[in-house]
Amino acid sequence: MKNKKLVLSIVTIFILLLLGFLRWDNFDSSGDINYKYDRWASQKWVEFYPPLAASPNSMEFPLMYMDEIHQSDINKYLEKQALTGELVNKWIERTKLTDGYIGLLLLNILVVIYSSIKLFILRDKK
């Protein structure tokens, strides 16, 4: 089979897309706070939508050493975790996993494009 690389890359793309869709598990929301779990990093995250904010953007941060947080405790929690450096370490871990995933996905897409072009050029020459 001449196009093993193409078939393998397409299968790998589908597996990567499936893994991407299964990365996050949303938990219950309580008011302006939404909890989600990053399966790749085994880390619980909080998505907070400030009620009186000028923009609809949310804040995201890892939730460490507790299962839930109240809106009044967010600033104190973030200050404490930022001083220890753990907050940054969790963000770096999440970013590395995301960047690696995107890199693998793009690499597979490029292999599919290259293999397809090579297959069609060889077919046209015959």
Coordinates of all heavy atoms in Angstrom, one line a residue, residues 64-65 77-89:
M64 N -6.7 24.8 43.4 CA -5.8 23.9 44.1 C -6.1 23.8 45.6 O -6.4 24.9 46.2 CB -4.3 24.3 43.9 CG -3.9 24.4 42.5 SD -2.2 25.0 42.2 CE -2.5 26.8 42.4
Y65 N -6.0 22.7 46.1 CA -6.2 22.4 47.6 C -7.7 22.7 48.0 O -7.9 22.9 49.2 CB -5.2 23.3 48.4 CG -3.8 23.2 47.9 CD1 -3.2 24.3 47.5 CD2 -3.2 21.9 47.9 CE1 -1.9 24.2 47.0 CE2 -1.9 21.8 47.5 CZ -1.2 22.9 47.0 OH 0.1 22.8 46.6
Y77 N -7.5 34.2 47.3 CA -7.0 32.9 46.8 C -5.9 33.2 45.7 O -4.8 32.6 45.8 CB -8.1 32.1 46.3 CG -7.6 30.8 45.5 CD1 -7.2 29.7 46.2 CD2 -7.6 30.8 44.1 CE1 -6.8 28.6 45.5 CE2 -7.2 29.7 43.4 CZ -6.8 28.6 44.1 OH -6.3 27.5 43.5
L78 N -6.2 34.1 44.8 CA -5.3 34.3 43.7 C -4.0 35.0 44.2 O -2.9 34.7 43.7 CB -6.0 35.2 42.6 CG -7.1 34.5 41.8 CD1 -7.7 35.5 40.9 CD2 -6.5 33.4 41.0
E79 N -4.1 35.9 45.2 CA -2.9 36.5 45.7 C -2.0 35.5 46.4 O -0.8 35.5 46.2 CB -3.3 37.6 46.7 CG -3.9 38.8 46.1 CD -4.4 39.8 47.1 OE1 -4.2 39.6 48.3 OE2 -5.0 40.8 46.7
K80 N -2.6 34.6 47.2 CA -1.9 33.6 47.9 C -1.2 32.6 46.9 O 0.0 32.3 47.0 CB -2.8 32.8 48.8 CG -2.1 31.7 49.6 CD -3.0 30.9 50.4 CE -2.3 29.7 51.1 NZ -3.3 28.9 51.8
Q81 N -1.9 32.1 45.9 CA -1.4 31.2 45.0 C -0.3 31.8 44.0 O 0.6 31.2 43.6 CB -2.5 30.5 44.1 CG -3.4 29.7 44.9 CD -2.7 28.6 45.8 OE1 -1.7 28.0 45.4 NE2 -3.3 28.4 46.9
A82 N -0.5 33.1 43.7 CA 0.4 33.8 42.9 C 1.8 34.0 43.6 O 2.8 33.9 43.0 CB -0.1 35.1 42.4
L83 N 1.7 34.2 44.9 CA 3.0 34.4 45.7 C 3.8 33.1 45.8 O 5.0 33.1 45.8 CB 2.7 34.9 47.1 CG 2.2 36.3 47.2 CD1 1.8 36.7 48.6 CD2 3.4 37.2 46.7
T84 N 3.1 31.9 45.8 CA 3.8 30.6 45.9 C 4.3 30.2 44.6 O 5.2 29.3 44.5 CB 2.9 29.5 46.5 OG1 1.8 29.3 45.5 CG2 2.3 29.9 47.8
G85 N 3.8 30.7 43.5 CA 4.3 30.3 42.1 C 3.5 29.1 41.6 O 3.7 28.8 40.4
E86 N 2.7 28.5 42.4 CA 2.0 27.3 41.9 C 1.0 27.7 40.8 O 0.8 26.9 39.8 CB 1.2 26.7 43.0 CG 2.1 25.9 44.0 CD 1.4 25.2 45.0 OE1 1.0 25.9 46.0 OE2 1.1 24.0 44.8
L87 N 0.4 28.9 40.8 CA -0.5 29.3 39.8 C 0.1 29.4 38.5 O -0.4 28.9 37.5 CB -1.1 30.7 40.2 CG -2.3 31.2 39.6 CD1 -3.5 30.3 40.0 CD2 -2.6 32.6 40.0
V88 N 1.3 29.9 38.4 CA 2.1 30.0 37.2 C 2.5 28.7 36.7 O 2.4 28.4 35.5 CB 3.3 30.9 37.4 CG1 4.2 31.0 36.1 CG2 2.9 32.3 37.7
N89 N 2.9 27.8 37.6 CA 3.3 26.4 37.2 C 2.2 25.7 36.5 O 2.4 25.0 35.5 CB 3.8 25.7 38.4 CG 5.2 26.2 38.8 OD1 5.9 26.8 38.1 ND2 5.5 25.9 40.1

